[in-house]
Structure formats: structure tokens, C-alpha cells
Amino acid sequence: MIIPSTNTSCQPEMDALRVPGVTNHVARMFIHDDSMEEKPGFDHVMHSIRSSTEPAIRAVVTCAPDHLVIAVSPESYWEGPESHGRILKSMRSIGGGLPVTMSPDAIKAALDCYGDVRRIAVITPYLPLGDDPVSRFFTDSGYEVVNITGLGCTSPAQIAHVSEARLRQAVREVDGPDVQAIVQVGTNVAMARVATAAEAWLDKPVLSNNVALYWHALRQGGVHDSITGFGSLLERHLHLPERTNGTTPTNPHLTYSTTGIAGR
């Protein structure tokens, strides 16, 4: 798991998702807690992420992991789907050919589990400066972004301080009758518990970034355990979705878990 040094939410959430026989090993990307209120500050955060990702990957692969999870969001969305493809290829190369999971791939696969989901609402940790590239990424990937809400965090470390009450409010803000699924991006947002509960209120998928990342890594790695307490994705979807002739299989039997996060 490659995680920014300012991120205090991703590691505990992913540790709570661990199943017997799976171990998590973390390398940190060193970044400063720069202001993201203006473009120069946001750009500096992006530069820090880019310059520190390769050393972090090279450090963690010395423990011979089976899979790499790149648990950082801005780099994944900033320059669009084509750029993401190049970044993913680069990460695999740096990791010596290991499978790599990044947020866009995990979230896309997770949405595919629920059938023909095209109309989504998105929650980000950012100000509008960061919301716009995320919305554009999903639009360019074939989704209609019905609503987007940014939590307005002014620096990377501040993202972890968003309360569960504010996250519940954000879910209500972006939801609507024409929204098929809600997607949260940003690995420093401790969203797993709120997303799990929100599925029960709304009777629709609510995807937490960290849960989607970990689910994708497990399933791609051949771990098919049903994990309860973290929402329908980990509990009901035991394999990555198969695509045949460019179509996505539907899942008419959606069941949502209402229990909280174990080990928090």
C-alpha cells in the first residue's frame, strides 16, 4: 500500500478490512501539508506526490508483495483517463510487473458490479479547484455526474478531520431520485462506516474509496472471501465483474449490509 505521509485514514480503514492470510505493508509518499486553496498549492501537492511515489514503490517491493495499491487520488484523476492509463503502466513498471490497483480502476469495476450504472453522484474532499478534474474524469469515462459535493478541505492532512456528521450530510446533498450510485473519492476521507450505513438508508450503492481499492486488490489477487460489515461490495461481490463483448452483466439481487466497521 502506497499512502501519502499526510494520510491518517487509509491505513486504519484498510487494516480493518484485512482477512486471515492477507497482510498489509505500507510505504509512505513524503509530501508537505501544503495549502490546496489556490492552484499553485494544489500543483505543489501534485508535484510532491509524483516525485515521491516511485521511491515509495521501490521501498515496499523489497518485502516481495503480491499486489500494489496506490492509495492516492489526485494523481489518478487530474489529467483524464488517457493520462491515467499511462500512469498505471508506469506504476506497474516501477513495481517490477506486479499487479497495481488505483482508484479509477477499482471504482469502475465496483460500479460494473451493480449493472448498467451510468448516473452517479460524487463526493470529494476538495474545493472546486479539485472537484472539476474529478467530475471531468468520470464524464470522460462515460458516466453522467448528476451531482458533486466537495468537502472543502484546505490541505491534505485536514481531509482526515472531516466528521462523520459532515459525511452523512454530504451523502444527503448529492443523492437524488436520478442518482444510481454515490461514489466517494479521496483516500484520507474515513468514509467506510458512513457509506455502509448509507446503503441501508438509500437502497443504492454507496462506494467508499478505500473499500473499493481494497476490494479490487483482494479480488484481483484471488481472495474471494465474503467480508461483512463494510457494505454490499465486499459482502456480495466475490469476483471482479466479467465483461463480454463490451457489455456489463447485471446483478438483479442487490442486498445491503447495515453493520458497522469491525475493529474501529
Side-chain angles (χ1 to χ4, degrees):
M1 292 157 47
I2 312 300
I3 302 174
S5 57
T6 53
N7 186 317
T8 56
S9 298
C10 182
Q11 186 172 354
E13 286 205 327
M14 289 193 178
D15 282 347
L17 303 176
R18 209 168 50 79
V19 297
V22 173
T23 57
N24 298 338
H25 305 278
V26 175
R28 294 281 178 166
M29 294 174 267
F30 174 72
I31 69 170
H32 292 283
D33 190 33
D34 293 314
S35 171
M36 300 190 300
E37 294 183 79
E38 303 291 341
K39 191 174 185 300
F42 207 108
D43 287 345
H44 192 262
V45 171
M46 294 291 295
H47 174 74
S48 297
I49 289 170
R50 288 168 178 155
S51 63
S52 61
T53 300
E54 180 173 345
I57 293 174
R58 294 197 184 282
V60 82
V61 297
T62 61
C63 75
D66 297 302
H67 199 101
L68 291 174
V69 175
I70 311 298
V72 62
S73 290
E75 176 73 351
S76 301
Y77 299 105
W78 197 245
E79 294 178 357
E82 289 187 9
S83 175
H84 168 68
R86 293 192 296 272
I87 292 167
L88 181 62
K89 183 177 179 180
S90 173
M91 300 298 178
R92 287 175 178 153
S93 176
I94 296 166
L98 285 172
V100 173
T101 289
M102 297 183 73
S103 293
D105 313 295
I107 291 170
K108 174 67 165 59
L111 288 170
D112 283 349
C113 287
Y114 296 97
D116 190 22
V117 172
R118 288 293 146 202
R119 297 186 306 279
I120 64 172
V122 180
I123 297 169
T124 88
Y126 311 121
L127 292 158
L129 176 66
D131 293 344
D132 293 343
V134 173
S135 179
R136 190 163 57 247
F137 185 97
F138 282 110
T139 300
D140 290 348
S141 299
Y143 297 96
E144 178 186 350
V145 179
V146 179
N147 297 309
I148 186 166
T149 288
L151 299 170
C153 300
T154 57
S155 77
Q158 285 301 310
I159 295 169
H161 296 271
V162 177
S163 68
E164 289 194 343
R166 177 65 185 103
L167 294 176
R168 289 192 295 271
Q169 180 186 2
V171 169
R172 295 186 180 101
E173 287 172 3
V174 297
D175 187 38
D178 50 348
V179 172
Q180 294 175 288
I182 295 173
V183 173
Q184 173 263 316
V185 303
T187 60
N188 202 17
V189 179
M191 181 74 179
R193 179 158 44 196
V194 172
T196 301
E199 287 195 334
W201 323 328
L202 303 176
D203 195 30
K204 67 181 65 173
V206 181
L207 300 179
S208 155
N209 199 150
N210 290 332
V211 169
L213 277 170
Y214 206 81
W215 164 83
H216 189 275
L218 289 178
R219 302 314 185 222
Q220 191 172 23
V223 180
H224 304 298
D225 300 52
S226 173
I227 304 170
T228 60
F230 305 98
S232 61
L233 185 65
L234 275 168
E235 183 173 357
R236 297 287 173 175
H237 300 285
L238 309 187
H239 300 268
L240 294 178
E242 295 181 2
R243 300 179 67 85
T244 305
N245 298 325
T247 62
T248 303
T250 58
N251 184 343
H253 305 294
L254 302 184
T255 303
Y256 297 98
S257 169
T258 59
T259 53
I261 293 179
R264 281 189 62 100

